[in-house]
């Protein structure tokens, strides 16, 4: 059974930072992707960043590139999303998810290829 648990969300002023954590367990194959996605009310879920667990290769959406950093711990049991220079448009529910194969990020609808999801955590950025 695959389990993913997000933490670290909350409220922050524009320009501030947050670090999200995704603790994951239950993988049967190490060559998997872990991704961060977000969804605002009334909008489609979109990919933010992803990482290939085995090799550490990372991917970012255009909006995340240059502001967000995805990483994992040495034990490869936790994936982080460091979010800097947050903007009001970053406000959304953020989800951690995983898939067994790749590519980890193939476009704005990459979320459709991820099979296991965490419960989500709210990030609110105010101006």
């Amino acid at each position: 059974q695959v389990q993913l648990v997000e933490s670290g969300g909350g409220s922050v002023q524009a320009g501030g930072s947050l670090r999200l954590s995704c603790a994951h367990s239950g993988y049967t194959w190490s060559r998997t992707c872990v991704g961060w996605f977000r969804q605002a009310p009334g909008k489609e879920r979109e990919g933010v960043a992803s990482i290939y667990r085995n090799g550490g290769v990372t991917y970012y959406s255009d909006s995340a590139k240059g502001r967000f950093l995805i990483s994992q711990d040495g034990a490869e049991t936790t994936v982080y999303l460091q979010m800097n220079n947050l903007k009001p448009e970053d406000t959304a529910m953020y989800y951690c998810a995983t898939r067994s194969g790749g590519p980890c990020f193939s476009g704005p609808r990459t979320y459709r290829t991820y099979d296991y999801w965490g419960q989500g955590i709210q990030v609110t950025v105010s101006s």
Side-chain angles (χ1 to χ4, degrees):
Q1 183 179 23
V2 175
Q3 183 176 0
L4 305 100
V5 180
E6 303 98 332
S7 62
S11 299
V12 66
Q13 296 291 315
S17 299
L18 287 173
R19 189 179 74 159
L20 305 183
S21 297
C22 173
H24 55 87
S25 61
Y27 293 117
T28 59
W29 184 36
S30 65
R31 295 180 178 270
T32 57
C33 308
V34 177
W36 284 99
F37 302 82
R38 66 187 183 188
Q39 188 168 22
K43 294 185 177 180
E44 187 177 18
R45 190 169 300 180
E46 62 177 347
V48 178
S50 61
I51 187 168
Y52 185 54
R53 291 207 303 133
N54 187 252
V57 177
T58 59
Y59 306 85
Y60 298 93
S61 68
D62 289 340
S63 64
K65 191 174 299 182
R67 298 190 299 132
F68 295 0
L69 292 171
I70 188 170
S71 62
Q72 63 184 349
D73 64 3
E76 299 181 355
T77 57
T78 305
V79 172
Y80 306 96
L81 184 68
Q82 178 67 45
M83 303 187 293
N84 301 314
N85 192 25
L86 285 162
K87 305 177 184 297
E89 53 262 40
D90 294 317
T91 296
M93 285 289 295
Y94 282 72
Y95 299 87
C96 179
T98 186
R99 62 169 293 172
S100 60
C104 293
F105 189 90
S106 59
R109 293 174 179 82
T110 299
Y111 73 91
R112 296 180 178 179
T113 69
Y114 283 69
D115 296 329
Y116 294 93
W117 294 82
Q119 294 281 63
I121 191 165
Q122 180 68 38
V123 171
T124 301
V125 184
S126 61
S127 59

